[in-house]
Amino acid sequence: MIGDAWLNYRMRWKRRRLLLRIWRKRKQLKCVADKTSQIAPNAILAFSTVRNEMLRLPHFLEYYRKLGVAHFLFVDNASDDGTAEYLAAQPDVSVWVADASYKLSRFGMDWLGWLQWQFGHGHWCLTVDADELLVYPYCDSRDLHALTRHLDEQSIPAFGAVMLDMYPKGPTISASYKAGDDPISVIPWFDSHGYRHKRHAVFDNHWIQGGVRDRMFFSEQPDRAPTLNKTPLVKWHWRNVYVTSTHHMLPRRLNRVFDWPEQDLLTGALLHTKFLPDIGIRSSEELDRKQHFENSALYGQYYEQLMTGPDLWTDASVMYMGWQQLETLGLMSQGSWS
Amino acid sequence: MTFGVVMLVHAEFDRAEQVIRHWVGGGCPVVVHVDSNVDVDAYGGFARSLADLETVQFCQRFRCEWGMWGLVEATQAASEMMLRNFPEVSHVFLASGSCLPLRPVSELRAFLSNRPKTDFIESATTADVPWTVGGLDRERFTLRFPFSWKSRRKLFDRYVRLQQVLRVKRRIPAGLVPHMGSQWWCLTRHTLGAILNDPKRRTYDRYFRRVWIPDESYFQTLARLHAKRIQSRSLTLSKFDFQGKPHIFYNDHAEILRRSECFVARKIWPNAGLLYRVFPRQPDSQLTDAKPNTGKVDRIFGRALERRTRGRPGLYMQSRFPNVARANGITAVPFSVMQGFDCLFPNFEKWLSGQTGAQVHGHIYAKDKAHFAGDAPIFSGALSDSAVLRDYNAAGFLTNLVWNARDTHQCIMFGPDDTQSIRWLLAHDTNARVWVITGAWSIPLFLSGKPAGKVRAEAARLQRIEHKLLKVLRAPDAHARIQICTLADFLENPRAILQEVVDEIAGHKAKEVSTLPEMADLTGLAEFLQELKNQGMHPFLTGDILADAEKRPPPTSEPKSYVVGHK
C-alpha cells in the first residue's frame, strides 16, 4: 500500500519533470508549415518524428489518410533528402524542423510532446514512426473513427499494439522497393511466435520482447532486445507524456492496454518496415551518429550485422495475410468488438 | 391501416433524416423526439430539412440521459402525439436515430396487419430471468436511483450502498409485476393507448421515475397489464456486449444483416455508407414472408462475448496476460513431460512418437540448448533453440511452444540436469501430464563406467534436484496429472507403465503396445548403487533394486490382460 502510494507519488513528479522538459525544449522547434488551423474538434491527429524518410513517406501518408487521420504533425530532424520540403507541400501536414540532438530530445519525444501538449488535448492522437503501419481488427473495413468511437464507448483511453518486424525472404538489402509502393508486398514475412511477455514493475505495463531481431541479434543478451509493446493511439490529455518512445506512458493507467487477469482487450499491431532495402545505409548512418537508445555502444555490433544485410528468413517465418491472420495467431485481439 | 414510427434522435441528424425519409416514403407517419441537450441551431436545421414532409411531426423535447426517466417521458409524449394526430395508425414502432430498416416498409406493414392484436415487446420477469449486467436486477425496482450512473457514478454507487445497508425497500405499486426487456418495441394502438390513459398512470409514473433504467421496464411492465397477446420479442435486432453496451454494426456486417431477415437493426455506424445504401433492401416477392432468423448474428457476437470474458486459454499476448494462478488453464492444450524414460531407453523418443503420433522432443530445457524434435534449430513459430533466450523466461517458452503446436500433442523429456524453473508450472497446470521414474539419473552415471567414488558428488546433486521436483509435484495444490514411480517399481513391469503412457497420449486411438523400446544394459547396476551407498551416498530415490533384477526374465514376457476401453 505505502509502496504503491510512494511509487504513484514519484511517478507524478516524473511526469511533471518530463512536462517541464518538454516545455523547455520547445525552442528547438522551428515551424516550417503551420496548417493546424484546419484541425476540427473531433479530428484524429498523427504525430511523427522523421529523418530522411522519402522512401516511406508517400505510402505512409496515403495509408493513414485512408484510415481517417485528418491532420499530420511532423518534426523533421535534419533530413537532407528533401523530406521537410515534401511534407510542407502536402495539404494536411504541418511541419516543424529541429536540428538538435535526437538522443537528447528523448528520441523525438520531447518535440512531439510539445506538439501534443498544444494540439493534442481532447483528440485521439496517433504517434507512430514513418516505418510503422498500424493494423487492428477490421482495419480493412472500419476506419480509425469507428475504432476510437468504440474505445470511447468502453471508456478506454489508450490502444495498445505489438510491433511486428517485417522482413523479406533473402538478404535484406537485395529486395527492390520504390517510394509509394506498399512495403508489405516487398517484405511480407514475420515471426509469428516466440514473443516473451512480462509485467513491467515500474510502469505497470506489459513488456513484450522477441521476434526476429531478438532471435537474430540478441540471443546472448535477451534483456537488451528491443521492446515491442507500444501504445500508439491515445485519447490525449495535456497531462499525458510518453516516457520512452511510445512504449511507456505516464500516467501509468494508460499503460494498462491489457485486461487483468484474463480477458481479451481490443489490441492491434504495428507492422514495422525497418527492413526495407535501405536498412544497410541507415545502419551505417546510425552507427556514425550514435543516436540510438540508451546504450549506443551495445547497439554497435547490431548495426554492423545489419549493414551486411543478413537473411532473416527461416522455414518458420510466416507471410502476412491480413488482420484476420494476426487475430488467429493470437498476436492481437478483437476484444468485444465484432 | 398502417403503423407509425416514434423516433428518438440525439445526434447524427443526416442519417436520421435519411431513415425518416424511408419510413415516410413507405407511407408511415413519424413523430420525432429530439433530445433537449441538442442545441437550437442543430435542432432548427434538422427540423427545416424535414419541413417538406407533412407526416413528420416534432414533439415536446425532454432531456434524455441514459438510464434516466427522461427517455420514458420522451417516448410517452411522442406516442401521445402519434395516437392523437394520426388516427389511421394501428401499431406504433419505437425506433432511434441509429436504427436502420433492413426490409422494405411494405413487408413490415404486411407482417403487422396479419397480426393486428399482437404486441411485440420483449418482456421477462426479473424474478425468473437473471439477465442484467452489473448485479442490479431485482433491486432496480426496490431501491431509488435519483443520480445518473453515467455522469455521477460515485454518488450513484454510494447511494445504492447506503440503501442496501439501511435495508430500504420501495413498495412496488399494487398490481405491477416488474418485467424487463429491450427498449425497442412495437405496440398496438389499443395497448399503447391503455398504458397512456391508465387511471393510475400518475402513481406508476411517480414510481418509475426513480427506478433504474426505466426505459427497459416501464412499457415492458405495463404492457403486461393491458395487452391481449404479447409476443415477447423485439422486432429490432440489437446485440449487447458483456457490459450491456450495444454493439455497433459496420459495413462488414452487411451480409449477416441481410441474412438475418430482421425488420430493423441498431445501432448502425453513421459512416457505414454501404449499409445505408443497400438497406432497406428491395421488395422481394419470395422473401415477403421470411421469418427473422438471428442465429448467425447471435453466433458471431456470442463468440466475441465468450472470448472477451473467458480469453483464449494458453495464449499469452499483449491483450491477455493472465494471473497464472487464477487463469483458465496455464497452457493451451495437454502436453506430456517425461523424466527418466530416456535414461532407460536410448531410443525412447523415436519409439514414443512411432507409438502415439505425438511430437516428441528431446530435453528442451537442457543446459546447452533446446533439443527440439529432429534436432531442428528453430521450432514452429520461430521459437529459437538458444538456451539463453529460453531461460530468460522459461515458463513463457513452454506456453509458447504448446500454443504454437497446439494441433499435435507435445512430449518433452526432462531431467534433473535441465533448467528447473518450470517446476511450478509443471505441477500446477491442469494440462500437464508428468511422468517421473525417480532415480533414473543413476543409469547414465552407471553407464559412464566411472567408479562410484568419482560420480558420488554428481549423483548427490542430481538426487537433490529431483527430490525438490518431487516435493513440488506432491504438494496438495499440484493439479497436473502426475505419475511417479521409482526405478525399481518401473523395472518390475515396464510394459504396464509404458502402456499407460501411450494410452494417455494417444487417447482413444491408442493401440496395445507391441514392441518395447530397447532398454540399456543394466547388468551390474545393483552393485553400482550398493557401492554408492557404501560411499555414504544413499540413492534413496531409485527404490530397492535387487541384485538379480537384470537377470530376471525380461519383463516383455507376459502382456498384462488389457481391457479395451478401460479409460
Side-chain angles (χ1 to χ4, degrees):
Chain A
M1 270 298 274
I2 294 173
D4 261 10
W6 175 234
L7 190 61
N8 278 337
Y9 177 76
R10 269 172 47 208
M11 285 298 132
R12 187 175 315 149
W13 277 101
K14 185 181 175 77
R15 186 171 56 73
R16 288 173 183 165
R17 264 202 319 278
L18 288 173
L19 278 171
L20 181 68
R21 179 185 168 116
I22 285 168
W23 182 75
R24 277 196 295 119
K25 299 236 170 175
R26 73 193 187 281
K27 289 185 183 145
Q28 293 179 354
L29 289 172
K30 277 201 298 288
C31 187
V32 176
D34 183 359
K35 295 164 198 154
T36 50
S37 55
Q38 297 175 2
I39 298 175
N42 284 321
I44 295 175
L45 309 179
F47 295 84
S48 186
T49 306
V50 289
R51 176 189 173 81
N52 291 342
E53 291 288 4
M54 276 312 290
L55 190 64
R56 290 177 177 84
L57 279 175
H59 178 264
F60 174 92
L61 290 173
E62 186 197 0
Y63 183 85
Y64 283 114
R65 276 178 193 141
K66 215 185 263 172
L67 283 185
V69 172
H71 200 83
F72 296 84
L73 298 97
F74 278 97
V75 174
D76 180 74
N77 179 215
S79 297
D80 51 18
D81 68 345
T83 295
E85 294 74 22
Y86 172 79
L87 288 173
Q90 302 292 321
D92 51 357
V93 177
S94 299
V95 188
W96 287 258
V97 292
D99 296 331
S101 159
Y102 182 62
K103 188 171 176 173
L104 286 180
S105 77
R106 292 189 301 129
F107 315 104
M109 283 302 137
D110 285 338
W111 302 326
L112 292 186
W114 175 239
L115 298 183
Q116 281 155 343
W117 191 89
Q118 291 181 86
F119 303 107
H121 183 77
H123 292 271
W124 278 93
C125 292
L126 181 72
T127 309
V128 284
D129 291 339
D131 58 2
E132 292 170 347
L133 301 175
L134 181 70
V135 294
Y136 50 86
Y138 302 102
C139 59
D140 50 356
S141 56
R142 306 180 192 171
D143 63 8
L144 285 170
H145 290 284
L147 175 69
T148 52
R149 166 80 165 269
H150 175 78
L151 295 171
D152 274 333
E153 268 171 20
Q154 308 272 325
S155 316
I156 301 173
F159 178 74
V162 63
M163 273 222 286
L164 295 180
D165 292 321
M166 310 300 290
Y167 50 86
K169 188 173 180 177
T172 40
I173 43 178
S174 63
S176 85
Y177 175 80
K178 70 174 199 310
D181 291 350
D182 177 9
I184 304 306
S185 62
V186 180
I187 47 170
W189 300 90
F190 66 98
D191 280 15
S192 65
H193 293 287
Y195 296 90
R196 297 186 300 276
H197 298 250
K198 263 200 213 185
R199 247 184 114 185
H200 198 293
V202 177
F203 293 105
D204 200 20
N205 64 351
H206 211 184
W207 187 16
I208 306 176
Q209 292 177 302
V212 63
R213 282 183 284 168
D214 180 68
R215 162 164 71 82
M216 293 292 291
F217 309 116
F218 292 91
S219 56
E220 295 307 313
Q221 289 175 299
D223 52 328
R224 310 295 324 179
T227 303
L228 300 181
N229 54 294
K230 287 206 162 188
T231 311
L233 187 61
V234 178
K235 176 88 177 231
W236 205 262
H237 190 283
W238 63 265
R239 289 194 177 93
N240 297 357
V241 287
Y242 279 117
V243 182
T244 19
S245 177
T246 52
H247 302 307
H248 314 301
M249 289 195 79
L250 287 175
R252 291 188 296 160
R253 64 189 161 78
L254 296 176
N255 291 322
R256 289 189 203 125
V257 288
F258 60 99
D259 211 355
W260 195 260
E262 55 164 345
Q263 299 175 343
D264 265 352
L265 261 195
L266 177 60
T267 48
L270 286 167
L271 305 183
H272 193 206
T273 62
K274 184 186 180 69
F275 297 113
L276 278 180
D278 64 344
I279 180 71
I281 306 163
R282 293 190 84 93
S283 301
S284 66
E285 203 181 289
E286 289 295 340
L287 205 55
D288 291 344
R289 287 173 65 220
K290 296 209 187 333
Q291 289 278 301
H292 235 281
F293 274 77
E294 285 86 353
N295 242 315
S296 291
L298 245 165
Y299 275 64
Q301 200 190 358
Y302 161 63
Y303 283 121
E304 269 163 27
Q305 279 176 299
L306 281 182
M307 278 161 61
T308 62
D311 185 357
L312 306 174
W313 190 88
T314 73
D315 297 345
S317 300
V318 173
M319 193 183 217
Y320 179 72
M321 312 284 282
W323 66 264
Q324 293 91 339
Q325 176 197 30
L326 299 186
E327 224 272 322
T328 316
L329 286 170
L331 289 167
M332 63 190 201
S333 168
Q334 64 184 65
S336 61
W337 204 33
S338 329
Chain B
M1 258 319 230
T2 185
F3 68 96
V5 178
V6 164
M7 194 182 242
L8 310 178
V9 184
H10 66 97
E12 309 299 347
F13 297 108
D14 295 350
R15 291 303 186 191
E17 182 199 336
Q18 199 178 344
V19 172
I20 288 171
R21 286 182 186 277
H22 276 306
W23 291 123
V24 174
C28 299
V30 178
V31 174
V32 185
H33 174 270
V34 180
D35 190 341
S36 67
N37 281 340
V38 172
D39 66 60
V40 182
D41 293 345
Y43 175 70
F46 179 51
R48 266 195 305 283
S49 72
L50 291 165
D52 59 315
L53 301 175
E54 283 177 11
T55 53
V56 175
Q57 297 189 354
F58 288 81
C59 73
Q60 190 197 343
R61 295 167 64 189
F62 295 90
R63 187 160 173 272
C64 297
E65 196 172 356
W66 182 85
M68 303 300 279
W69 174 247
L71 274 167
V72 178
E73 261 181 319
T75 314
Q76 286 174 335
S79 303
E80 277 169 350
M81 191 172 200
M82 173 67 76
L83 297 183
R84 193 170 58 238
N85 297 354
F86 299 100
E88 74 277 19
V89 163
S90 65
H91 275 86
V92 175
F93 195 103
L94 179 63
S96 78
S98 52
C99 289
L100 176 65
L102 302 181
R103 295 169 65 172
V105 176
S106 57
E107 289 184 11
L108 178 54
R109 181 179 304 117
F111 177 86
L112 291 175
S113 59
N114 287 338
R115 297 159 180 80
K117 299 220 165 110
T118 311
D119 295 288
F120 295 90
I121 180 165
E122 193 178 60
S123 153
T125 56
T126 49
D128 299 339
V129 187
W131 250 346
T132 42
V133 183
L136 293 171
D137 43 27
R138 184 73 189 168
E139 290 180 328
R140 287 181 182 207
F141 297 98
T142 57
L143 303 183
R144 286 181 180 78
F145 297 88
F147 303 111
S148 157
W149 186 81
K150 274 218 163 136
S151 53
R152 303 167 84 183
R153 182 68 166 278
K154 264 198 186 138
L155 210 53
F156 178 96
D157 286 343
R158 283 188 193 150
Y159 194 56
V160 167
R161 191 78 202 110
L162 178 73
Q163 294 176 80
Q164 285 169 338
V165 169
L166 296 179
R167 305 200 177 190
V168 180
K169 266 199 172 172
R170 299 182 75 188
R171 269 240 312 281
I172 300 173
L176 290 192
V177 182
H179 279 70
M180 276 178 7
S182 164
Q183 180 189 354
W184 311 104
W185 42 249
C186 177
L187 294 177
T188 58
R189 171 177 278 271
H190 164 81
T191 308
L192 190 56
I195 292 173
L196 295 174
N197 301 318
D198 194 307
K200 284 158 83 181
R201 178 170 153 189
R202 284 187 53 176
T203 318
Y204 296 154
D205 284 6
R206 201 166 51 236
Y207 169 72
F208 275 103
R209 196 178 284 272
R210 291 282 174 266
V211 163
W212 193 38
I213 322 186
D215 48 308
E216 287 184 357
S217 56
Y218 180 82
F219 289 97
Q220 288 70 6
T221 303
L222 294 180
R224 289 282 170 186
L225 292 183
H226 302 291
K228 291 210 174 81
R229 186 183 301 150
I230 283 187
Q231 280 246 12
S232 179
R233 65 185 168 112
S234 171
L235 295 178
T236 304
L237 171 66
S238 56
K239 301 301 292 177
F240 294 89
D241 70 4
F242 76 111
Q243 292 173 311
K245 293 185 179 138
H247 278 297
I248 296 179
F249 292 110
Y250 302 91
N251 280 343
D252 44 88
H253 292 123
E255 185 55 25
I256 61 163
L257 288 179
R258 189 184 62 74
R259 280 202 265 166
S260 76
E261 290 297 346
C262 288
F263 289 105
V264 175
R266 85 181 294 273
K267 297 169 92 167
I268 306 291
W269 173 238
N271 293 342
L274 179 74
L275 296 186
Y276 280 98
R277 261 199 315 284
V278 300
F279 295 117
R281 66 164 165 74
Q282 292 304 310
D284 182 334
S285 58
Q286 288 189 335
L287 292 173
T288 310
D289 296 327
K291 288 247 164 57
N293 170 14
T294 58
K296 174 92 176 157
V297 189
D298 291 344
R299 265 200 304 286
I300 285 180
F301 288 93
R303 207 159 55 214
L305 180 73
E306 161 99 351
R307 186 175 283 182
R308 179 69 179 81
T309 49
R310 305 235 333 136
R312 287 183 269 183
L315 170 63
Y316 296 82
M317 59 178 293
Q318 50 176 347
S319 50
R320 178 173 190 280
F321 195 61
N323 176 349
V324 169
R326 286 179 47 193
N328 86 61
I330 303 178
T331 50
V333 292
F335 66 99
S336 303
V337 180
M338 334 213 65
Q339 174 148 324
F341 288 78
D342 58 321
C343 302
L344 262 173
F345 307 106
N347 277 323
F348 182 70
E349 289 123 73
K350 210 168 143 214
W351 175 83
L352 186 62
S353 78
Q355 287 286 330
T356 61
Q359 185 152 38
V360 186
H361 300 282
H363 287 257
I364 64 163
Y365 282 94
K367 284 271 150 43
D368 57 338
K369 64 169 195 168
H371 295 267
F372 293 122
D375 253 338
I378 287 179
F379 182 62
S380 142
L383 209 55
S384 151
D385 68 352
S386 150
V388 185
L389 278 185
R390 179 199 65 203
D391 292 346
Y392 187 57
N393 183 350
F397 184 82
L398 187 60
T399 55
N400 261 346
L401 176 106
V402 175
W403 169 262
N404 295 354
R406 59 193 179 283
D407 46 351
T408 39
H409 191 104
Q410 303 291 310
C411 300
I412 64 173
M413 300 298 134
F414 199 62
D417 211 14
D418 297 349
T419 297
Q420 296 289 309
S421 44
I422 55 164
R423 263 196 308 239
W424 190 90
L425 187 153
L426 291 186
H428 288 77
D429 182 14
T430 46
N431 279 322
R433 281 92 178 93
V434 186
W435 306 81
V436 185
I437 304 177
T438 65
W441 42 264
S442 61
I443 294 170
L445 294 180
F446 159 66
L447 292 176
S448 71
K450 291 185 193 150
K454 282 233 163 115
V455 297
R456 182 184 177 282
E458 177 66 2
R461 185 179 75 88
L462 296 176
Q463 173 152 278
R464 227 172 16 245
I465 296 173
E466 187 166 81
H467 185 57
K468 263 191 199 158
L469 173 72
L470 295 179
K471 246 170 127 176
V472 177
L473 293 180
R474 284 175 175 146
D477 59 342
H479 300 307
R481 281 197 212 175
I482 298 164
Q483 295 267 11
I484 300 169
C485 66
T486 62
L487 180 59
D489 286 347
F490 182 81
L491 289 175
E492 282 286 313
N493 194 351
R495 175 181 290 274
I497 292 173
L498 289 174
Q499 181 72 55
E500 267 182 60
V501 169
V502 170
D503 287 353
E504 181 71 50
I505 295 174
H508 67 280
K509 282 183 263 174
K511 292 195 207 83
E512 191 176 323
V513 169
S514 48
T515 54
L516 289 189
E518 195 183 332
M519 200 187 286
D521 181 10
L522 299 182
T523 319
L525 177 65
E527 289 80 4
F528 173 76
L529 295 176
Q530 184 58 46
E531 189 52 35
L532 273 179
K533 280 187 198 169
N534 298 346
Q535 300 269 346
M537 206 317 273
H538 279 241
F540 61 93
L541 290 179
T542 56
D544 221 0
I545 296 197
L546 301 172
D548 59 351
E550 66 277 0
K551 286 187 201 120
R552 266 193 275 155
T556 46
S557 56
E558 275 285 295
K560 236 186 184 176
S561 74
Y562 178 55
V563 184
V564 178
H566 78 110
K567 288 160 71 66

